[in-house]
Amino acid sequence: MAEKTVTAAILVIGDEILSGRTKDKNIGYIAEYLTAIGVDLREVRVVPDVEEEIVGAVNALRTRYTYLFTTGGIGPTHDDITADAVAKAFGVAIDHDPRAVAILRERYSAEELTEARLRMARIPAGADLVENPVSKAPGFRIGNTFVMAGVPSIMQAMLDNIAPTLETGARMVVETVEAPGIPEGIYAAALGDVAKAHPGVSIGSYPSFTAGGFRNQIVVRSKDPAAVAAAAEAVRGALERLRGDGVPA
Amino acid sequence: MAEKTVTAAILVIGDEILSGRTKDKNIGYIAEYLTAIGVDLREVRVVPDVEEEIVGAVNALRTRYTYLFTTGGIGPTHDDITADAVAKAFGVAIDHDPRAVAILRERYSAEELTEARLRMARIPAGADLVENPVSKAPGFRIGNTFVMAGVPSIMQAMLDNIAPTLETGARMVVETVEAPGIPEGIYAAALGDVAKAHPGVSIGSYPSFTAGGFRNQIVVRSKDPAAVAAAAEAVRGALERLRGDGVPA
């Protein structure tokens, strides 16, 4: 599998996430979305509405991964400082973008297009707009960085517009093996042996509580379908042998 | 208000969060919990089950904030590497801790206490244990860093045990002003003026979609109750004036 790897990070911007007042719904959504199209999400950060924090995180993440996706802070109010912070991170100017102003003029009458709403047309120099079919005020792409709204329905619509423009790598192939009735602590040694014998495959063990009690799932993951199939088979074999041995529950 | 500020970061460790397979439920819970007890959450990161990533993030966050809370990666399987990575980040040894072994011996018979389960007793030198009333295998505290389980019910129980040991600062006082029928783009200018006139107060504007349409909430936040009351009053006054002017919807 010599296919290229495409990586990404997410930067969530917003005091309201850090205060716990708003529960983030974007990280999980973007994570699942990127995984499905063959982009490997490698890191997530959440920072407050503070310019130097946003600038620092944008620069740390955009230089390390193929793509950076930001959410939040692109509305019309004084606390929406993401566009200015991203311009600063890229070292470019920012001003009202004629394309963005035109979009807002279509939505708002001259009287309605307040100075505050015009702030939503502030776009860093050299950026491309990302269409917002929900409430019109656009996101943007500059370099490898996509700046999206924080409201989930708007973010999701923007991501649908961004996805076709992304380079993608091989999709991750995932197989989940249920391990009913066998505690992690019993299959852990055998699972470690399987992991060692299949070095190109990531094997994770995920316990969770459900209404019926503990549930253990073993997740086998790689971009090579044959390697996943072989490792999953080895996991099932190891679990079968443990069952044959009379597993203590 | 010269009361001290106590800050914190969260580090979520786990491939399964980054793949989107598991949706994180810990960030929002810890955020709300810390806010309620007077600890300011300033940053969150999510990193994969990769030692150098965990070590790097632990060191970046523990040196910058009063406290660091980690979740995930302390189970018995080969992919649970958090304890070893945290020991490495602190530059200390790690071995089976007699106190943790004793806890596991109470839960498991000699036959059940596999080598894998004993891994859950690996605790960095100098750490204190954090009790786990749900499934026994403890978390730990080393320096300013608290290492907790990823399963939400266990994490929550551990956090309840940790909270009484934390230094806390003044609690944030929060007042939410609803702005029904007034779009953000209309009140943004007046809100910016209020924010400028109340520099010690954080004022955020949070739009959300609800079944009934757009809902705008203005959140006024500070550790000084009088300052919050004054700023919230100013926000309400500004909204009243806009309503009196006949706001375009």
Side-chain angles (χ1 to χ4, degrees), chain A residues 15-23 27-29 31-32 35 41-49 53 64-65 75-80 111-112 114 116-117 134-135 151 153-154 174 176 183-189 191-192 195 202-209 214 217 219 221 248-249, chain B residues 15-23 27-29 31-32 35 41-49 53 64-65 75-80 111-112 114 116-117 134-135 151 153-154 174 176 183-189 191-192 195 202-209 214 217 219 221 248-249:
Chain A
D15 290 351
E16 80 277 23
I17 303 293
L18 292 171
S19 76
R21 186 182 166 277
T22 298
K23 302 294 182 289
I27 296 171
Y29 183 91
E32 205 169 350
T35 299
L41 179 63
R42 292 283 173 87
E43 184 171 351
V44 178
R45 296 194 191 180
V46 186
V47 297
D49 301 312
E53 298 296 328
R64 195 161 176 213
Y65 305 103
T77 54
H78 65 282
D79 54 325
D80 290 307
E111 191 200 8
E112 286 169 351
T114 58
R117 282 181 171 144
V134 179
S135 60
V151 174
S153 57
I154 302 178
V174 182
T176 300
E184 271 196 306
I186 296 300
Y187 65 63
L191 194 67
S202 149
I203 302 180
S205 171
Y206 303 116
S208 57
F209 281 120
F214 240 107
Q217 293 182 305
V219 177
R221 193 186 292 277
Chain B
D15 290 351
E16 80 278 23
I17 303 293
L18 292 171
S19 75
R21 186 182 164 276
T22 299
K23 302 295 182 289
I27 296 171
Y29 183 91
E32 203 169 353
T35 299
L41 179 63
R42 293 283 173 86
E43 184 170 349
V44 178
R45 296 194 191 181
V46 186
V47 298
D49 300 313
E53 298 295 328
R64 195 162 176 211
Y65 304 102
T77 54
H78 66 282
D79 54 326
D80 290 307
E111 191 201 8
E112 286 168 351
T114 57
R117 281 180 171 145
V134 179
S135 59
V151 174
S153 58
I154 303 177
V174 182
T176 300
E184 272 197 306
I186 295 300
Y187 65 63
L191 195 68
S202 148
I203 301 180
S205 171
Y206 303 116
S208 57
F209 282 119
F214 239 107
Q217 294 183 303
V219 177
R221 191 186 294 275

Side-chain angles (χ1 to χ4, degrees), chain B residues 52-85:
Chain B
E52 65 185 281
E53 298 295 328
I54 302 170
V55 171
V58 165
N59 281 333
L61 297 172
R62 75 181 174 93
T63 54
R64 195 162 176 211
Y65 304 102
T66 314
Y67 296 119
L68 169 61
F69 299 87
T70 80
T71 67
I74 62 167
T77 54
H78 66 282
D79 54 326
D80 290 307
I81 62 171
T82 297
D84 284 77

Side-chain angles (χ1 to χ4, degrees), chain A residues 8-156:
Chain A
I10 299 171
L11 177 61
V12 174
I13 298 161
D15 290 351
E16 80 277 23
I17 303 293
L18 292 171
S19 76
R21 186 182 166 277
T22 298
K23 302 294 182 289
D24 171 78
K25 293 184 180 120
N26 292 331
I27 296 171
Y29 183 91
I30 300 172
E32 205 169 350
Y33 197 110
L34 293 179
T35 299
I37 63 174
V39 174
D40 296 357
L41 179 63
R42 292 283 173 87
E43 184 171 351
V44 178
R45 296 194 191 180
V46 186
V47 297
D49 301 312
V50 173
E51 187 177 79
E52 64 184 282
E53 298 296 328
I54 302 170
V55 171
V58 165
N59 281 333
L61 298 172
R62 76 180 174 93
T63 54
R64 195 161 176 213
Y65 305 103
T66 314
Y67 295 117
L68 169 61
F69 299 87
T70 80
T71 67
I74 62 167
T77 54
H78 65 282
D79 54 325
D80 290 307
I81 62 171
T82 297
D84 284 77
V86 169
K88 195 165 185 176
F90 276 83
V92 301
I94 181 166
D95 205 344
H96 294 123
D97 182 293
R99 298 164 300 176
V101 172
I103 290 168
L104 295 176
R105 281 200 204 289
E106 269 182 48
R107 161 142 198 219
Y108 298 109
S109 70
E111 191 200 8
E112 286 169 351
L113 192 50
T114 58
E115 193 181 313
R117 282 181 171 144
L118 267 177
R119 278 194 76 212
M120 296 191 289
R122 285 175 67 78
I123 305 287
D128 295 320
L129 302 188
V130 172
E131 195 190 335
N132 166 2
V134 179
S135 60
K136 299 305 171 192
F140 60 87
R141 171 198 186 142
I142 178 167
N144 65 342
T145 299
F146 294 88
V147 174
M148 304 188 291
V151 174
S153 57
I154 302 178
M155 185 285 294
Q156 291 168 18

Side-chain angles (χ1 to χ4, degrees), chain B residues 59-184:
Chain B
N59 281 333
L61 297 172
R62 75 181 174 93
T63 54
R64 195 162 176 211
Y65 304 102
T66 314
Y67 296 119
L68 169 61
F69 299 87
T70 80
T71 67
I74 62 167
T77 54
H78 66 282
D79 54 326
D80 290 307
I81 62 171
T82 297
D84 284 77
V86 169
K88 195 165 187 178
F90 276 83
V92 302
I94 181 166
D95 205 344
H96 292 124
D97 182 292
R99 299 163 300 175
V101 172
I103 290 168
L104 295 176
R105 282 200 202 289
E106 269 183 49
R107 162 142 197 219
Y108 298 109
S109 71
E111 191 201 8
E112 286 168 351
L113 192 50
T114 57
E115 196 182 326
R117 281 180 171 145
L118 267 177
R119 278 194 76 212
M120 297 191 289
R122 285 175 68 77
I123 305 286
D128 295 321
L129 302 188
V130 172
E131 196 191 333
N132 166 3
V134 179
S135 59
K136 299 305 172 190
F140 59 87
R141 171 199 186 140
I142 178 165
N144 66 342
T145 298
F146 294 89
V147 174
M148 305 188 290
V151 174
S153 58
I154 303 177
M155 185 285 293
Q156 292 168 19
M158 287 181 171
L159 193 55
D160 282 339
N161 287 329
I162 290 166
T165 73
L166 299 176
E167 276 195 286
T168 54
R171 287 181 206 190
M172 201 60 87
V173 179
V174 182
E175 192 165 337
T176 300
V177 180
E178 299 279 342
I182 312 186
E184 272 197 306

